[in-house]
Amino acid sequence: MPELPLEIWLSDSRLSPIKSWRIPRSRQKRSNRKRNRRKGKSYLKAHPRSLLKGGTFIRQNKIYGTYCNPLYQHSMVEVYARFYMHSSVLQKKVYLPSKKAALKVTELVMDKLRIADTSIAELKNNIIRGKSIGRTEIQVVSRQGRVQGAREVRVINERVSIKNLQIKTVSGLGLELKPWPPMPNTYIATVHQSYKLQRQYQAATLDVTIQFTDNTLLPLKYISSDHYTLEVTSLNKNVARVAKPYDASMPKIIALRPTKGELLKVALESYYSCRRKKSRSLAVSYVNIDIDFSKTKTLKIIFKMMMVDLSSPTGPATVALCLS
C-alpha cells in the first residue's frame, strides 16, 4: 500500500505574471461594455462584421470584444509514492523496492488532482497556471474526499520577464543503462538526445524552453497554443526549411544541404488579439543547426524488460529501473 501523505513535486511553487504577455480572458457582448468601462477595463475595437488580425470579432459567433489579462507562469506537477507492506516476521514496515525509492504515480492519480481554490489557479492535466494573486493548494483527493497529499502554490504580483529561449534541435534519441550502487537490482536509464542531422531530408523537432528572469524554466509545449504564436523562419531555405504542416507547439525542420551555423530565427509573440500596436516580440532567438552528411549511423536497440519509473524530482530526464 502507498505511504501517506503522497509527495507532490512542483517545478515552480511561486507563479508570477509574465511581462507583456497577455491572453484573452473572456468574450463579452455589447451589453456589458458600459458596465466594464466604468470599471476601467479596455477593449480592442473593430467592426463587428469583420474578422481582423488585431481582434476576435466574428459575426456568426456573436463575439463583440476581447478583454485581455496577463499570462501567469505555469508549473509542472508530479506525484510520488513509497509503497510498503507490514511484515509479521520482522514486525516492521518493508518498503518495495526500497525506502529510498519513490515511484512516480502521476498518471495513476491524475483524476484525483484538484486545486483547492480555482479562482487563484487552474489545473489542466498536470500543469498548473496562475489566475489571480493569492495562495492555494494542489491536492490529491481520494474518492471519500480525504486529502492524501498537498502542496502550497502561491501566485504573486511580482512580474517576471522572458530572459531567453533555449532551443534544441532533436533529431534522435538514445537510451543508456547503468547500475545504481546504492540500491541493489536497480539501474539508471539516461535518455540522450541527438542534435546533428546526418542525412538529406531528415527531420528534426525544435524543443523550445522558456527561461524567465527568476531562473525558472518552462517547456513551451506546456503552454496552450491558443496563448501564443511561434514564428520560425529559415535564414537559408536552400539549406534547411520549416516542415509543413506547421505546428507551433512542436515545429520541425528538414535538412537539405550540409552546413553549420545560425540558420533559424524563432520569434515568440503573444496572442494576436491581445497585442498592442507596434509591440515587440516576447522573445527572439537564433538557432544553431549542425547538418553533416559525412557520417551516418543507424542505432537499433531492442529492450525486453519490465520497467518501473522511479525518476527523481531533481532529474526528470533520468529514470530509475527496478528489475526483479
Side-chain angles (χ1 to χ4, degrees):
M1 64 180 67
E3 186 177 48
L4 300 180
L6 301 177
E7 297 180 11
I8 299 179
W9 173 82
L10 300 177
S11 60
D12 188 3
S13 60
R14 292 163 54 92
L15 307 180
S16 303
I18 305 172
K19 184 178 179 181
S20 302
W21 197 339
R22 302 177 67 81
I23 61 174
R25 187 188 72 174
S26 62
R27 296 169 177 176
Q28 309 218 3
K29 297 184 179 181
R30 292 178 183 268
S31 59
N32 295 331
R33 281 189 179 181
K34 291 184 179 180
R35 181 180 60 186
N36 290 316
R37 282 175 182 172
R38 289 195 295 266
K39 295 181 181 180
K41 298 178 180 179
S42 61
Y43 294 86
L44 297 173
K45 299 180 180 180
H47 197 278
R49 295 184 179 180
S50 63
L51 175 61
L52 303 181
K53 186 177 181 180
T56 57
F57 299 86
I58 305 175
R59 183 181 181 185
Q60 291 82 351
N61 294 338
K62 297 182 180 180
I63 301 171
Y64 302 104
T66 301
Y67 173 48
C68 298
N69 268 359
L71 177 68
Y72 286 82
Q73 289 177 299
H74 294 44
S75 177
M76 293 174 284
V77 182
E78 298 291 356
V79 183
Y80 293 87
R82 289 181 173 85
F83 290 86
Y84 70 95
M85 60 178 294
H86 291 283
S87 174
S88 58
V89 178
L90 301 177
Q91 297 297 321
K92 65 176 183 179
K93 292 181 180 179
V94 178
Y95 288 86
L96 304 173
S98 169
K99 190 175 182 179
K100 297 180 181 179
L103 281 70
K104 187 167 69 174
V105 295
T106 310
E107 297 294 332
L108 299 177
V109 299
M110 191 75 73
D111 59 336
K112 298 178 177 61
L113 288 173
R114 76 173 188 185
I115 296 291
D117 188 349
T118 54
S119 65
I120 303 298
E122 67 176 1
L123 178 70
K124 184 177 181 181
N125 296 328
N126 66 325
I127 304 298
I128 300 175
R129 179 174 70 89
K131 293 177 64 178
S132 61
I133 309 302
R135 297 187 181 187
T136 185
E137 282 186 340
I138 173 69
Q139 301 173 340
V140 181
V141 183
S142 66
R143 295 180 179 179
Q144 293 76 23
R146 297 178 181 177
V147 178
Q148 297 179 323
R151 181 75 182 272
E152 184 184 69
V153 179
R154 296 180 60 188
V155 182
I156 60 179
N157 196 29
E158 184 180 350
R159 293 195 301 175
V160 296
S161 302
I162 297 178
K163 189 175 182 180
N164 59 48
L165 296 177
Q166 298 181 2
I167 305 176
K168 300 176 182 178
T169 55
V170 182
S171 59
L173 298 174
L175 186 66
E176 179 184 6
L177 289 176
K178 289 183 178 180
W180 192 36
M183 190 181 302
N185 298 325
T186 304
Y187 293 80
I188 297 295
T190 305
V191 177
H192 298 282
Q193 296 179 343
S194 176
Y195 307 116
K196 182 181 293 187
L197 290 94
Q198 299 179 334
R199 60 181 182 273
Q200 193 176 23
Y201 304 119
Q202 181 181 2
T205 301
L206 296 184
D207 183 17
V208 184
T209 300
I210 304 174
Q211 182 179 15
F212 298 101
T213 50
D214 61 354
N215 292 324
T216 58
L217 300 174
L218 178 67
L220 184 63
K221 63 182 179 181
Y222 292 135
I223 301 179
S224 172
S225 58
D226 295 333
H227 295 164
Y228 68 91
T229 58
L230 188 70
E231 296 183 0
V232 181
T233 305
S234 175
L235 302 181
N236 190 343
K237 295 182 179 180
N238 296 323
V239 174
R241 62 180 175 87
V242 181
K244 295 181 180 181
Y246 178 75
D247 183 2
S249 62
M250 193 173 292
K252 296 181 181 181
I253 60 169
I254 297 176
L256 300 179
R257 295 181 181 178
T259 188
K260 187 176 181 180
E262 293 184 344
L263 302 176
L264 292 179
K265 177 184 177 182
V266 179
L268 177 65
E269 298 183 356
S270 59
Y271 189 75
Y272 68 89
S273 66
C274 292
R275 296 177 198 166
R276 297 177 180 177
K277 293 183 178 179
K278 299 181 181 180
S279 61
R280 297 181 178 180
S281 300
L282 297 171
V284 177
S285 181
Y286 293 88
V287 185
N288 277 293
I289 299 178
D290 187 0
I291 304 176
D292 186 5
F293 297 160
S294 60
K295 296 181 180 180
T296 302
K297 295 181 180 180
T298 302
L299 182 62
K300 295 182 179 180
I301 304 177
I302 301 177
F303 291 96
K304 295 181 180 179
M305 59 181 65
M306 181 63 68
M307 305 175 69
V308 180
D309 191 353
L310 299 175
S311 58
S312 169
T314 58
T318 301
V319 181
L321 306 181
C322 178
L323 305 182
S324 58

